[in-house]
Amino acid sequence: MNRHYLVILLLLANTSFTGREPASRDNWIPLFNGKNLKGWDIYLKGVGLNTDPQHVFSVVSEGNEKVIRVSGEVTGGISTTKEFADYHLQLLFKWGSLSWGGKKGKHKDSGLLYHSVGPFGADNGAWMRSQEFQVEETNTGDYWGCAGAMADIPAIKSNDSTYIYNPTGALFSFRADNSTGRHCIKQGDAEKHTGEWNTLDLYCHGDTAVHVVNGKTLMILYHCGQVDNGKLTPLTKGKIQLQSEGAEVFYKQVRIQPITQLPAEILSK
């Protein structure tokens, strides 16, 4: 087969990976170019789209590399300008020292929001409808459904009426319009000490998503969807957002690659 024809076939494979760009040899596509926030939109609560006078989101030097700094001073987020489906997303994050407002003195908070769709500011005036891979001190890996997003998650109900992910538990629907609510706590804890870099891996294929922190699977979500006026429809693709939510946090090495199935090793951990 002609070599150039083979390359074209490989690039056309997996058409569900919306926003696909030519991949590097190892198949990773950088979402952060290491220079600036090109390819991302900024939305701040009470401010609007792509206006950031306080430099809540910026690119700064960290050692010998450039990283994304989120000051946390204003609630909001950055979102990719493109949508993605059926992928493995990986990024590194670490906490800074600053916190603000109602978050001051509490667990530092941010979040990785995926399958983000619809208008900016739909959730708390700050974020799009999305599934949240929680990024918060001691709670990294939790699930929140934002602005109508939902998922079915196996869990066990605790004595204080919270729900904790357990792969052998009953399957509950986590959505804002029922008694279960929209929050499920991850199983176990894999976050490193504050100030150290943590690796987050998010796997999405079809209507299933897997939250992995520092190599440990903390939650598997099934039947990802969205609810409008009681009607449930699938939610399996969208933009990716990083939150500003009252705490200084740094992100780097944000990259993505298409997948055709979920790796068996993350499902068995």
Side-chain angles (χ1 to χ4, degrees):
M1 181 182 289
N2 181 279
R3 181 177 179 182
H4 295 294
Y5 182 60
L6 177 61
V7 169
I8 292 172
L9 287 179
L10 290 172
L11 289 174
L12 290 176
N14 195 6
T15 55
S16 62
F17 189 66
T18 310
R20 178 81 184 264
E21 296 179 357
S24 58
R25 290 182 62 186
D26 62 5
N27 221 28
W28 285 109
I29 301 165
L31 295 183
F32 170 49
N33 63 18
K35 300 176 182 178
N36 52 47
L37 295 177
K38 183 179 180 180
W40 298 80
D41 285 317
I42 298 172
Y43 189 86
L44 296 174
K45 183 176 182 178
V47 179
L49 183 63
N50 291 326
T51 300
D52 186 7
Q54 294 175 263
H55 303 291
V56 175
F57 297 95
S58 62
V59 177
V60 300
S61 295
E62 171 75 24
N64 295 322
E65 62 185 332
K66 297 288 188 179
V67 304
I68 299 171
R69 177 183 180 261
V70 183
S71 75
E73 190 173 2
V74 181
T75 302
I78 53 171
S79 59
T80 58
T81 57
K82 296 181 179 179
E83 293 188 339
F84 301 94
D86 294 338
Y87 58 82
H88 171 198
L89 172 72
Q90 184 181 80
L91 58 78
L92 276 67
F93 86 91
K94 74 172 184 177
W95 298 111
S97 59
L98 301 176
S99 57
W100 311 87
K103 296 287 186 176
K104 196 169 185 66
K106 299 181 180 179
H107 291 313
K108 293 184 175 66
D109 199 0
S110 181
L112 164 60
L113 309 182
Y114 59 98
H115 297 345
S116 303
V117 296
F120 293 98
D123 187 86
N124 192 34
W127 307 294
M128 305 166 72
R129 169 176 291 176
S130 53
Q131 309 285 25
E132 180 171 1
F133 184 147
Q134 174 71 291
V135 179
E136 183 181 56
E137 285 181 312
T138 76
N139 297 315
T140 298
D142 281 8
Y143 168 75
W144 288 89
C146 299
M150 62 78 59
D152 292 339
I153 304 172
I156 295 176
K157 188 176 182 180
S158 67
N159 292 333
D160 63 356
S161 296
T162 58
Y163 293 84
I164 302 172
Y165 169 76
N166 189 303
T168 64
L171 198 64
F172 292 92
S173 288
F174 289 89
R175 47 194 281 181
D177 63 350
N178 70 11
S179 59
T180 306
R182 62 191 184 103
H183 176 218
C184 185
I185 298 170
K186 43 78 175 170
Q187 183 183 63
D189 186 18
E191 189 180 341
K192 297 181 181 179
H193 294 297
T194 296
E196 297 183 45
W197 287 104
N198 296 269
T199 301
L200 302 186
D201 289 280
L202 169 66
Y203 295 84
C204 297
H205 188 264
D207 62 2
T208 302
V210 186
H211 296 183
V212 181
V213 178
N214 293 322
K216 184 176 180 179
T217 299
L218 298 186
M219 183 175 296
I220 302 176
L221 296 69
Y222 302 95
H223 312 138
C224 289
Q226 54 190 331
V227 182
D228 289 292
N229 299 318
K231 182 180 178 181
L232 177 62
T233 56
L235 181 59
T236 59
K237 68 177 182 179
K239 298 179 179 182
I240 294 159
Q241 301 176 85
L242 300 175
Q243 289 182 314
S244 171
E245 197 172 4
E248 184 183 36
V249 61
F250 299 89
Y251 290 97
K252 69 176 182 177
Q253 296 176 25
V254 186
R255 58 184 189 169
I256 198 169
Q257 62 178 344
I259 59 175
T260 57
Q261 62 183 15
L262 295 170
E265 60 269 20
I266 68 168
L267 299 176
S268 61
K269 290 183 178 180

